[in-house]
Amino acid sequence: MALSESAVFDLTVQALDAFKIEIPSWGFANTGTRFGKFTQAAAASTIEEKFSDAAEVNRLTGSTPTMALHVLWDLPNGFGDVEEVKVLEQRYGIRAGSINPNLFQNQEYKFGSLCNPSAAIRKQAVDHVLDSVEIAKTLGCADISLWLPDGSNYPGTQSIRSRIGWLEQALRTIHDRLAPRQRLLIEYKPFEPAFYHTDIADWGMSSQLARVAGPQARVLVDTGHHYTSQNIEQIVAWLLHTGLLGGFHFNDRRYADDDLTLGSIDPYQVFRIFHELHCAQAEGLPHAVAFMVDQSHNLKGKIEATVQTVVTAQELWLKAALVDRKQLAVYQQSCDLVAAEELFRGAFWTDVRPLAAAWRQARGLPVDPLAALKDGGYVERIVQERGSRHSPVGSYA
Ligand code: LRH
Ligand code: MN
């Protein structure tokens, strides 16, 4: 039986009031590919500018109260930058979110960081992560989000099992330093920058490492870190079933880890993932699942792309919230395939933009955040302030 209009709006308010997604500081900075970086006058290059941009996104969307920080990019002086971050949190009303150690820039990490054959280099990498844990403690951040580029490019050149042992030891050491409320999110990726083996390549490896590390370790699912033929929502269902799902890095891709804007290539993919989460929440999901965006905006305006991403995520979260899960369960139980599919896809086809606009109005937010960004003049203003700094840079060498 179709829900009344007010019931649908109550569902909308419930879903969108609860929907929070974290944005990455690096989404506001100039980024590129190995073939070059197209700089933007409005790009942020200081931590203050990143907090200012994040505040503008949250002002327009109401769903992004926290910003992920990458330690060496955002706190180049490590601990020495913590007080400044606290001041910026107050000034811009945006809290530091997940803390991401950088284990992919140092020359020493050529053959790996936590998995490097050299005990001294492994210790250097562990120390950086332990510093990141202490920074997170001081900022009151719960999640340490760990991604390793570690792996090899040629068969026979590294002992895969020796590296597993070193990695397990390192993760135990890191886990044991966590405060009671903190979590270690272990991100997997099948390839790049390593092109023969990657030490944490899939959800199974990440799950096993989380179990070995300790009870506060979880798996982080970056939607771009899957082969195109993989069923990501099935992996999510397994991680919900095993209680190991810690969070997501949302983005989109056509081929590999393209880091394109969420929902730009396959919005139905995110809808199917959100459905699994709505089902788990309805069954009383025991632990928090962090929603984060992890994108690099090489061509689109960086703030525009971030606002577009959050609006798309709000809409897809709402579409999935409108699935009549009770009726769907009946069709699933009776294997009424077409009825189940039509109900499921029907929610995806639903144009929820008027509902989302009504929710924004009710919350004193601009009904069309992208239009409000344009009309607000924020981008024009920061181009004046920042414009002259950025000169085109090549890379690849
Ligand atoms: C690796 C990754 C990781 C971040 C980086 C910016 O591909 O997804 O989450 O550290 O992007
Ligand atoms: Mn990621």
Short mmCIF file of all heavy atoms in Angstrom, two decimals, residues 4 9 13 25 54 118 136 154 161 172 204 246 256-257 271 276 278 280 300 302 321 344 358 368 384 397:
data_model
loop_
_atom_site.label_atom_id
_atom_site.label_comp_id
_atom_site.label_asym_id
_atom_site.label_seq_id
_atom_site.Cartn_x
_atom_site.Cartn_y
_atom_site.Cartn_z
N SER A 4 1.46 7.63 2.40
CA SER A 4 0.88 8.96 2.20
C SER A 4 2.00 9.97 1.97
O SER A 4 3.17 9.69 2.30
CB SER A 4 0.14 9.37 3.48
OG SER A 4 1.12 9.60 4.50
N PHE A 9 7.33 12.21 3.46
CA PHE A 9 8.17 13.33 3.89
C PHE A 9 8.82 13.04 5.25
O PHE A 9 9.98 13.35 5.48
CB PHE A 9 7.39 14.64 3.95
CG PHE A 9 8.30 15.83 4.19
CD1 PHE A 9 9.26 16.17 3.26
CD2 PHE A 9 8.24 16.55 5.38
CE1 PHE A 9 10.14 17.23 3.48
CE2 PHE A 9 9.11 17.61 5.62
CZ PHE A 9 10.05 17.95 4.67
N VAL A 13 12.77 13.23 5.98
CA VAL A 13 13.41 14.00 7.07
C VAL A 13 14.27 13.06 7.92
O VAL A 13 15.44 13.36 8.20
CB VAL A 13 12.34 14.70 7.92
CG1 VAL A 13 12.94 15.25 9.22
CG2 VAL A 13 11.65 15.80 7.12
N SER A 25 40.04 16.67 2.60
CA SER A 25 40.74 17.96 2.43
C SER A 25 41.40 18.01 1.05
O SER A 25 41.44 19.04 0.39
CB SER A 25 41.83 18.09 3.51
OG SER A 25 42.84 17.11 3.28
N ALA A 54 35.51 23.60 3.11
CA ALA A 54 34.64 22.58 3.72
C ALA A 54 33.44 23.24 4.40
O ALA A 54 32.32 22.74 4.32
CB ALA A 54 35.44 21.76 4.74
N SER A 118 63.04 -4.16 5.10
CA SER A 118 63.94 -3.53 6.07
C SER A 118 63.20 -3.24 7.37
O SER A 118 62.22 -2.48 7.38
CB SER A 118 64.49 -2.20 5.52
OG SER A 118 64.77 -1.30 6.60
N ALA A 136 45.35 12.08 16.29
CA ALA A 136 43.90 11.81 16.33
C ALA A 136 43.37 11.90 17.76
O ALA A 136 42.33 12.51 18.01
CB ALA A 136 43.63 10.43 15.75
N TYR A 154 57.04 -7.21 -9.89
CA TYR A 154 57.52 -8.36 -10.67
C TYR A 154 57.50 -9.64 -9.83
O TYR A 154 57.92 -9.63 -8.68
CB TYR A 154 58.94 -8.09 -11.19
CG TYR A 154 59.04 -6.82 -12.01
CD1 TYR A 154 59.49 -5.63 -11.44
CD2 TYR A 154 58.63 -6.79 -13.33
CE1 TYR A 154 59.55 -4.45 -12.16
CE2 TYR A 154 58.67 -5.62 -14.09
CZ TYR A 154 59.13 -4.45 -13.50
OH TYR A 154 59.16 -3.28 -14.21
N ARG A 161 54.47 -13.93 1.73
CA ARG A 161 54.11 -14.37 3.09
C ARG A 161 54.96 -13.70 4.15
O ARG A 161 54.47 -13.38 5.23
CB ARG A 161 54.15 -15.90 3.18
CG ARG A 161 52.89 -16.50 2.57
CD ARG A 161 52.63 -17.95 2.92
NE ARG A 161 53.67 -18.81 2.39
CZ ARG A 161 54.50 -19.53 3.16
NH1 ARG A 161 54.41 -19.42 4.48
NH2 ARG A 161 55.41 -20.31 2.63
N ARG A 172 49.23 -4.93 14.77
CA ARG A 172 49.00 -5.21 16.21
C ARG A 172 49.58 -4.07 17.04
O ARG A 172 48.92 -3.56 17.95
CB ARG A 172 49.66 -6.53 16.61
CG ARG A 172 48.92 -7.80 16.22
CD ARG A 172 49.42 -9.01 17.01
NE ARG A 172 49.12 -10.27 16.31
CZ ARG A 172 49.98 -10.90 15.50
NH1 ARG A 172 51.19 -10.36 15.28
NH2 ARG A 172 49.63 -12.01 14.90
N GLY A 204 38.96 -9.69 1.69
CA GLY A 204 39.32 -10.86 2.50
C GLY A 204 40.61 -10.64 3.26
O GLY A 204 40.71 -10.92 4.46
N GLY A 246 33.83 -0.92 8.54
CA GLY A 246 34.13 0.29 9.30
C GLY A 246 33.70 1.55 8.57
O GLY A 246 33.23 2.50 9.18
N ALA A 256 39.20 1.94 -13.53
CA ALA A 256 40.04 1.53 -12.39
C ALA A 256 39.79 2.50 -11.24
O ALA A 256 38.66 2.91 -11.01
CB ALA A 256 41.50 1.48 -12.82
N ASP A 257 40.82 2.87 -10.49
CA ASP A 257 40.64 3.80 -9.37
C ASP A 257 40.61 5.23 -9.90
O ASP A 257 41.48 6.05 -9.62
CB ASP A 257 41.76 3.61 -8.36
CG ASP A 257 41.50 4.41 -7.08
OD1 ASP A 257 40.31 4.72 -6.83
OD2 ASP A 257 42.46 4.75 -6.39
N PHE A 271 23.36 3.21 -4.97
CA PHE A 271 22.01 2.91 -4.48
C PHE A 271 21.96 1.50 -3.90
O PHE A 271 21.43 1.27 -2.80
CB PHE A 271 21.00 3.03 -5.63
CG PHE A 271 19.61 2.55 -5.31
CD1 PHE A 271 18.69 3.40 -4.72
CD2 PHE A 271 19.20 1.26 -5.64
CE1 PHE A 271 17.40 2.98 -4.43
CE2 PHE A 271 17.92 0.81 -5.36
CZ PHE A 271 17.02 1.67 -4.75
N GLU A 276 21.81 -1.96 1.19
CA GLU A 276 22.32 -2.93 2.17
C GLU A 276 22.46 -2.25 3.54
O GLU A 276 22.16 -2.85 4.58
CB GLU A 276 23.68 -3.47 1.70
CG GLU A 276 23.61 -4.36 0.47
CD GLU A 276 22.74 -5.59 0.66
OE1 GLU A 276 22.66 -6.09 1.80
OE2 GLU A 276 22.09 -6.01 -0.33
N HIS A 278 20.72 0.46 4.66
CA HIS A 278 19.39 0.73 5.24
C HIS A 278 18.81 -0.54 5.85
O HIS A 278 18.24 -0.52 6.94
CB HIS A 278 18.44 1.28 4.16
CG HIS A 278 18.62 2.75 3.87
ND1 HIS A 278 18.34 3.73 4.79
CD2 HIS A 278 19.04 3.40 2.75
CE1 HIS A 278 18.57 4.92 4.26
NE2 HIS A 278 19.00 4.74 3.02
N ALA A 280 20.52 -3.11 7.07
CA ALA A 280 21.27 -3.42 8.31
C ALA A 280 20.86 -2.46 9.43
O ALA A 280 20.66 -2.88 10.57
CB ALA A 280 22.77 -3.30 8.03
N LYS A 300 36.84 19.20 -12.90
CA LYS A 300 35.70 19.98 -12.41
C LYS A 300 36.17 20.99 -11.36
O LYS A 300 37.19 20.76 -10.70
CB LYS A 300 34.65 19.05 -11.75
CG LYS A 300 33.86 18.18 -12.71
CD LYS A 300 32.88 17.30 -11.93
CE LYS A 300 32.00 16.45 -12.85
NZ LYS A 300 31.06 15.56 -12.06
N LYS A 302 36.57 22.38 -7.91
CA LYS A 302 36.70 21.47 -6.76
C LYS A 302 35.55 21.62 -5.77
O LYS A 302 35.01 20.63 -5.27
CB LYS A 302 38.06 21.69 -6.11
CG LYS A 302 39.21 21.38 -7.08
CD LYS A 302 40.55 21.82 -6.61
CE LYS A 302 41.57 21.69 -7.72
NZ LYS A 302 41.71 20.33 -8.28
N ALA A 321 16.29 4.83 0.94
CA ALA A 321 15.46 4.85 2.16
C ALA A 321 13.99 4.63 1.81
O ALA A 321 13.21 4.14 2.64
CB ALA A 321 15.62 6.19 2.86
N PHE A 344 12.23 -2.66 -6.22
CA PHE A 344 13.58 -2.19 -5.88
C PHE A 344 14.02 -1.08 -6.83
O PHE A 344 14.38 0.01 -6.42
CB PHE A 344 14.55 -3.38 -5.95
CG PHE A 344 15.95 -3.10 -5.46
CD1 PHE A 344 16.20 -2.84 -4.13
CD2 PHE A 344 17.02 -3.12 -6.36
CE1 PHE A 344 17.50 -2.59 -3.68
CE2 PHE A 344 18.32 -2.87 -5.92
CZ PHE A 344 18.56 -2.60 -4.58
N ALA A 358 12.53 20.02 -0.41
CA ALA A 358 11.60 20.35 0.69
C ALA A 358 12.29 20.16 2.04
O ALA A 358 12.12 20.98 2.96
CB ALA A 358 10.36 19.46 0.59
N ASP A 368 18.53 24.48 -3.71
CA ASP A 368 19.41 24.00 -4.78
C ASP A 368 20.84 24.43 -4.45
O ASP A 368 21.29 25.53 -4.84
CB ASP A 368 18.99 24.58 -6.14
CG ASP A 368 19.91 24.07 -7.27
OD1 ASP A 368 21.04 23.59 -6.95
OD2 ASP A 368 19.51 24.16 -8.45
N GLN A 384 39.93 35.53 -6.35
CA GLN A 384 40.62 36.82 -6.12
C GLN A 384 41.72 36.62 -5.08
O GLN A 384 42.88 36.98 -5.28
CB GLN A 384 39.62 37.88 -5.63
CG GLN A 384 38.53 38.25 -6.63
CD GLN A 384 39.15 38.53 -8.01
OE1 GLN A 384 40.15 39.25 -8.09
NE2 GLN A 384 38.58 37.91 -9.03
N ALA A 397 57.57 12.89 -14.18
CA ALA A 397 58.99 12.57 -13.89
C ALA A 397 59.29 12.89 -12.45
O ALA A 397 58.69 13.86 -11.94
CB ALA A 397 59.89 13.40 -14.79
#
